[in-house]
Amino acid sequence: MAAVTYTKQDWKAEADIQRLPDGTYQGVVLLTRMGSPGADSAPQTVNSVSETPEEALEEAKALAHRLLADVGGG
């Protein structure tokens, strides 16, 4: 399953998933400011786990939209 990238102004959010040791999945979002090569951002994880990668990716996409809304000023 491929990661999904969203952009807003000079921000980029990459939504992806990770498989957890127990076989469930969790959405992950990496938020970065484009043009800032030294500004590494820690990945942010979705608060819940999902039974399928599709569900986890949907949760990650929703988190990516919320993060971009916050940094983009609404």
Side-chain angles (χ1 to χ4, degrees):
M1 183 158 286
V4 179
T5 301
Y6 300 101
T7 58
K8 182 174 182 181
Q9 297 167 354
D10 58 346
W11 289 92
K12 176 173 72 168
E14 294 177 77
D16 205 352
I17 60 170
Q18 62 184 5
R19 186 174 181 162
L20 302 177
D22 66 359
T24 58
Y25 299 87
Q26 188 170 32
V28 181
V29 177
L30 181 62
L31 184 67
T32 55
R33 190 167 201 154
M34 295 182 284
S36 299
D40 287 308
S41 173
Q44 298 191 44
T45 56
V46 173
N47 291 333
S48 60
V49 296
S50 300
E51 295 296 319
T52 67
E54 294 83 8
E55 290 174 3
L57 186 58
E58 287 303 314
E59 293 287 336
K61 291 192 292 189
L63 176 58
H65 284 290
R66 289 193 302 271
L67 292 172
L68 285 176
D70 289 346
V71 297

